[in-house]
Amino acid sequence: SYELTQPPSVSVSPGQTARITCSGDALPKQYAYWYQQKPGQAPVLVIYKDSERPSGIPERFSGSSSGTTVTLTISGVQAEDEADYYCQSADSSGTVVFGGGTKLTVL
Amino acid sequence: QVQLQESGPGLVKPSETLSLTCTVSGGSISSYYWSWIRQPPGKGLEWIGYIYYSGSTNYNPSLKSRVTISVDTSKNQFSLKLSSVTAADTAVYYCARVWRIAAAGAYWFDPWGQGTLVTVSS
């Protein structure tokens, strides 16, 4: 199976834009998904199929894809957005893989 | 809306078999795929495997030799068994519903259960 690579940490001031990247060789051919996980809680889906936002997820969360990199963008970051973020994809055989996670710190 | 709840022993001895059950409420287990995912303390997420309500499965190659996932549609439950456990299997275990687009090889997870911590120790 392949790997997904995320930066360990991203820091941003409130109101600014946070961008979290995820790189993987199969991403041009496979969709990516993003999950938010706050301490002591289960992950929550925030983006699916590269750029779709589930109902109930604020509009400030968006996703994009370019080549082997997908990006989660959080516009107008709020203190409540401080969390770990994981990207996820799957290969053609249905084997699922997660990125290592990125800790978003709101300064 | 669909809710998932994991249950099972919180402590398992080394070399024994870890057994967990996920109970699905607010909807039928039929017509969906269901998955187990784990997270060692302080570390990232690891996919374990998924099962279709009909019983077909797909497992993480790194765990395949030790994993069995089964489903009981009459109880709206699915289960995980992980054999020959070691301290490296200590983790929070989550169950989740799988969304799938077969033609695109797309799989994602929503919602998730709250998770249950399983510690492997003598």
Side-chain angles (χ1 to χ4, degrees):
Chain A
S1 63
Y2 67 102
E3 295 182 353
L4 297 175
T5 301
Q6 299 181 234
S9 63
V10 168
S11 299
V12 64
S13 298
Q16 299 298 105
T17 296
R19 294 180 179 85
I20 300 172
T21 59
C22 173
S23 299
D25 289 342
L27 289 178
K29 296 171 290 187
Q30 301 292 339
Y31 285 119
Y33 313 87
W34 290 95
Y35 302 88
Q36 176 194 67
Q37 186 180 34
K38 296 182 179 180
Q41 297 184 18
V44 173
L45 179 73
V46 294
I47 294 290
Y48 66 102
K49 289 170 59 182
D50 290 348
S51 60
E52 302 289 329
R53 192 174 54 249
S55 61
I57 301 301
E59 291 184 6
R60 64 180 181 273
F61 288 86
S62 64
S64 61
S65 176
S66 179
T68 59
T69 299
V70 293
T71 302
L72 172 69
T73 300
I74 310 172
S75 304
V77 167
Q78 301 181 7
E80 67 194 51
D81 299 329
E82 186 163 286
D84 293 327
Y85 291 85
Y86 293 90
C87 63
Q88 175 249 309
S89 189
D91 66 20
S92 56
S93 69
T95 297
V96 172
V97 61
F98 287 95
T102 298
K103 181 176 181 59
L104 176 66
T105 299
V106 181
L107 300 171
Chain B
Q1 69 278 21
V2 169
Q3 293 183 312
L4 298 91
Q5 178 68 59
E6 305 87 352
S7 60
L11 181 63
V12 181
K13 291 182 169 55
S15 79
E16 295 189 344
T17 296
L18 178 159
S19 296
L20 295 174
T21 296
C22 182
T23 299
V24 179
S25 59
S28 174
I29 203 168
S30 297
S31 302
Y32 284 99
Y33 283 75
W34 305 90
S35 187
W36 288 98
I37 298 151
R38 70 180 182 178
Q39 184 173 36
K43 296 187 178 181
L45 301 167
E46 180 180 31
W47 172 68
I48 297 171
Y50 56 71
I51 188 167
Y52 192 40
Y53 79 100
S54 63
S56 62
T57 56
N58 192 13
Y59 300 137
N60 186 326
S62 68
L63 298 170
K64 188 174 183 177
S65 63
R66 299 194 291 130
V67 172
T68 302
I69 298 176
S70 58
V71 63
D72 186 338
T73 54
S74 67
K75 294 182 179 179
N76 237 33
Q77 294 176 336
F78 62 104
S79 299
L80 168 70
K81 291 189 184 299
L82 181 65
S83 63
S84 305
V85 298
T86 69
D89 296 309
T90 294
V92 175
Y93 286 76
Y94 296 99
C95 57
R97 183 172 64 182
V98 183
W99 295 87
R100 175 178 177 258
I101 303 175
Y107 299 81
W108 67 100
F109 308 101
D110 182 50
W112 298 52
Q114 66 184 26
T116 187
L117 174 63
V118 179
T119 301
V120 179
S121 175
S122 55

